[in-house]
């Protein structure tokens, strides 16, 4: 690992100031960033720790929206969201392993936008709004392809506002070595319709499966998905699975998510 | 900058840089070599310790980010009296090479604190991030069940 400086501000304003220096990047739970620095894939001059900022932590309900502080760990979301939003709590409680969940955060996961991460599916599947130090970004505009988001340099996610669905579930086909999703699907049912977000499958990162949303919006039953399929083109190909296999998994995991939610 | 932290009930002060991994502080500064350096990238679990009662990989936690009291394998026993997990580990002769075992025990302690009577599936899910190259997994599982029974006063767990 290259040498770097470490600063730990206690307010969002101080964090933004520290990040303005250009060569600084934010550190949240560090479950991806620190290993990538050790592998020398990333070599920031300054790390700005976000874990000492109290206003970025915790889970609270604001009407029909669950507001999750960006520096809230997966373990905390699994615990605190269980009553108001069990679909989200279930997703958070199965990310990685317990030690990852003790440290990893929702803001870190969304900002990294790993194509196989779980949280992007929840954010896109709920139509969440990503709140930063300077604006709010709709999830549909936030995810812009593998490891790419709408965030500007130095912009910090401060909280995530997730509309609470009538019913929801996340079905994840586990890649057992990495514990990421080989394919994962988040399904959420609202009065206005159903949203379906898929992670782990596409080379473009998390995406919405529009045909399944339309079918499920008229009939929220896994049988409504009969006859629907996604194209293998553009799906991830690696030693764990072919594009065809992942396209098949999208259908299977969507059915399982609907069955678990209804 | 001097940073103070509490490890196994004792307060220490260190001048190590704030970005130093907690693991290095424990091993090199405090001489607590029971916690092992395995992979260095949070992929093996050998460096597992507790911070504020939660299991974390100490190779990934910067010194300045330590948010509570630290417990290492050296702090699990009460004086000369071993913790139930340590006794169960000995009864089952879990260790082969032993390198991963302090991390395994710390992860298991985190599990039993949250779930005093875990099922096989609970154990497999909680221990999934702790790798053992010798393949002692079945012995680990048996020892966790045994420790759970001992901690529950002999009742099935």
């Amino acid at each position: 690992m290259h040498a770097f400086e470490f600063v730990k501000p206690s307010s969002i304003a101080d964090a933004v100031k520290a990040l303005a220096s250009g060569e600084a990047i934010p550190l949240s739970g560090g479950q991806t960033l620190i290993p990538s620095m050790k592998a020398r894939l990333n070599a920031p001059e300054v790390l700005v720790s976000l874990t000492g900022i109290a206003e970025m932590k915790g889970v609270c309900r604001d009407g029909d929206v669950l507001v999750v502080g960006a520096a809230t760990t997966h373990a905390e979301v699994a615990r605190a969201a269980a009553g108001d939003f069990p679909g989200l709590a279930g997703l958070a409680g199965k990310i990685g392993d317990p030690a990852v969940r003790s440290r990893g955060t929702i803001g870190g996961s969304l900002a990294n936008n790993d194509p196989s991460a779980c949280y992007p599916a929840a954010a896109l599947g709920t139509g969440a709004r990503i709140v930063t130090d300077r604006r709010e970004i709709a999830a549909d505009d936030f995810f812009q392809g593998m490891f790419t988001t709408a965030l500007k340099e130095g912009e910090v996610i401060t909280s995530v506002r997730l509309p609470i669905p009538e019913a929801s579930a996340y079905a994840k086909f586990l890649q057992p070595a990495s514990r990421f999703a080989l394919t994962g699907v988040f399904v959420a049912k609202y009065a206005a319709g159903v949203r379906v977000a898929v992670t782990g499958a596409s080379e473009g990162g998390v995406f919405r499966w529009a045909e399944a949303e339309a079918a499920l919006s008229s009939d929220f039953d896994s049988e409504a998905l009969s006859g629907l399929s996604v194209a293998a083109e553009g799906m991830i190909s690696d030693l764990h699975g072919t594009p065809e296999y992942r396209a098949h998994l999208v259908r299977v995991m969507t059915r399982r998510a609907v069955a678990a939610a209804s | 900058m001097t940073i103070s932290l509490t490890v196994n009930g004792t307060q220490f002060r260190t001048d190590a840089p704030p970005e130093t991994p907690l693991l290095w502080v424990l091993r090199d500064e405090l001489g607590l070599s029971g916690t092992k350096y395995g992979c260095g990238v949070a992929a093996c679990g050998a460096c597992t310790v507790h911070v504020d009662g939660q299991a974390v990989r100490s190779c990934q936690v910067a010194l300045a980010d330590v948010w509570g009291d630290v417990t290492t394998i050296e702090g699990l026993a009460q004086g000369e009296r071993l913790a139930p997990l340590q006794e169960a580990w000995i009864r089952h002769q879990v260790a082969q090479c032993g390198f991963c075992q302090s991390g395994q025990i710390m992860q298991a302690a985190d599990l039993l604190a949250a779930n005093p009577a875990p099922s096989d599936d609970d154990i497999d899910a909680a221990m999934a991030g702790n790798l053992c190259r010798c393949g002692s997994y079945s012995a680990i599982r048996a020892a966790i069940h045994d420790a759970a029974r001992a901690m529950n006063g002999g009742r099935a767990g």
Side-chain angles (χ1 to χ4, degrees):
Chain A
M1 191 153 54
H2 295 281
F4 61 94
E5 266 182 70
F6 184 94
V7 295
K8 190 170 182 180
S10 54
S11 71
I12 293 170
D14 285 349
V16 170
K17 204 183 298 173
L19 285 163
S21 72
E23 292 304 313
I25 57 174
L27 170 72
S28 196
Q31 301 301 290
T32 297
L33 177 55
I34 301 285
S36 80
M37 287 170 64
K38 290 184 176 184
R40 304 202 168 198
L41 298 170
N42 212 327
E45 305 245 318
V46 182
L47 273 190
V48 181
S49 171
L50 303 177
T51 61
I53 303 173
E55 56 190 312
M56 281 176 60
K57 289 185 184 180
V59 177
C60 69
R61 191 173 176 148
D62 179 9
D64 292 333
V65 173
L66 197 71
V67 185
V68 182
T72 311
T73 63
H74 310 326
E76 178 63 12
V77 173
R79 193 188 62 73
D84 286 324
F85 193 164
L88 183 72
L91 175 147
K94 291 194 176 65
I95 296 173
D97 60 55
V100 166
R101 297 195 288 273
S102 294
R103 291 289 294 156
T105 68
I106 187 170
S109 174
L110 296 180
N112 191 46
N113 193 19
D114 187 299
S116 300
C118 299
Y119 262 133
L124 192 60
T126 56
R129 295 190 71 79
I130 319 296
V131 184
T132 77
D133 59 285
R134 59 199 76 170
R135 58 182 171 149
E136 273 190 37
I137 309 167
D140 284 306
D141 303 323
F142 182 82
F143 301 105
Q144 301 187 344
M146 204 178 263
F147 298 111
T148 310
T149 69
L151 291 172
K152 305 282 184 212
E153 199 143 310
E155 186 170 11
V156 178
I157 303 175
T158 55
S159 68
V160 185
R161 298 178 59 86
L162 305 111
I164 299 172
E166 295 167 8
S168 67
Y170 178 61
K172 169 180 176 179
F173 194 91
L174 188 72
Q175 202 285 80
S178 72
R179 309 195 71 74
F180 275 91
L182 192 56
T183 289
V185 177
F186 192 89
V187 170
K189 180 176 186 285
Y190 295 92
V194 174
R195 290 176 71 105
V196 177
V198 180
T199 189
S202 169
E203 286 179 335
V206 67
F207 70 95
R208 286 172 69 186
W209 185 11
E211 292 84 357
E213 291 185 348
L216 291 168
S217 293
S218 35
D219 180 13
F220 193 65
D221 187 294
S222 55
E223 289 307 314
L225 298 164
S226 302
L228 294 187
S229 62
V230 291
E233 194 187 344
M235 293 289 160
I236 296 170
S237 176
D238 59 19
L239 80 167
H240 307 298
T242 61
E244 291 74 20
Y245 183 59
R246 282 189 163 84
H248 179 69
L249 275 181
V250 173
R251 294 177 54 201
V252 174
M253 302 322 283
T254 305
R255 291 176 71 97
R256 287 188 191 173
V258 172
S262 43
Chain B
M1 183 173 71
T2 301
I3 294 173
S4 77
L5 76 166
T6 301
V7 181
N8 301 331
T10 305
Q11 199 178 25
F12 295 93
R13 301 177 77 77
T14 171
D15 292 322
E19 69 272 20
T20 311
L22 173 61
L23 174 63
W24 296 8
V25 176
L26 294 173
R27 289 182 57 87
D28 297 349
E29 300 257 329
L30 308 183
L32 296 170
S33 56
T35 308
K36 302 305 182 196
Y37 174 32
C39 67
V41 292
C44 79
C47 67
T48 304
V49 302
H50 296 182
V51 176
D52 197 18
Q54 287 186 296
V56 297
R57 309 297 186 227
S58 60
C59 72
Q60 299 307 102
V61 179
L63 174 59
D65 264 349
V66 175
W67 69 95
D69 290 0
V70 179
T71 307
T72 69
I73 188 73
E74 291 90 345
L76 214 55
Q78 308 251 315
E80 292 298 303
R81 214 175 103 236
L82 293 179
L85 271 168
Q86 293 169 305
E87 289 181 337
W89 239 252
I90 293 169
R91 274 199 299 280
H92 289 266
Q93 291 292 295
V94 174
Q96 186 171 320
C97 92
F99 196 81
C100 70
Q101 299 291 334
S102 55
Q104 302 277 4
I105 291 172
M106 296 311 286
Q107 191 69 50
D110 179 86
L111 166 66
L112 292 184
N115 180 354
S119 65
D120 282 352
D121 285 348
D122 294 337
I123 292 173
D124 291 350
M127 303 299 292
N130 288 71
L131 306 186
C132 172
R133 199 169 62 174
C134 308
S136 65
Y137 299 110
S138 55
I140 288 172
R141 198 200 258 171
I144 293 174
H145 280 306
D146 198 7
R149 272 190 294 274
M151 292 162 75
N152 294 336
R155 288 188 299 279

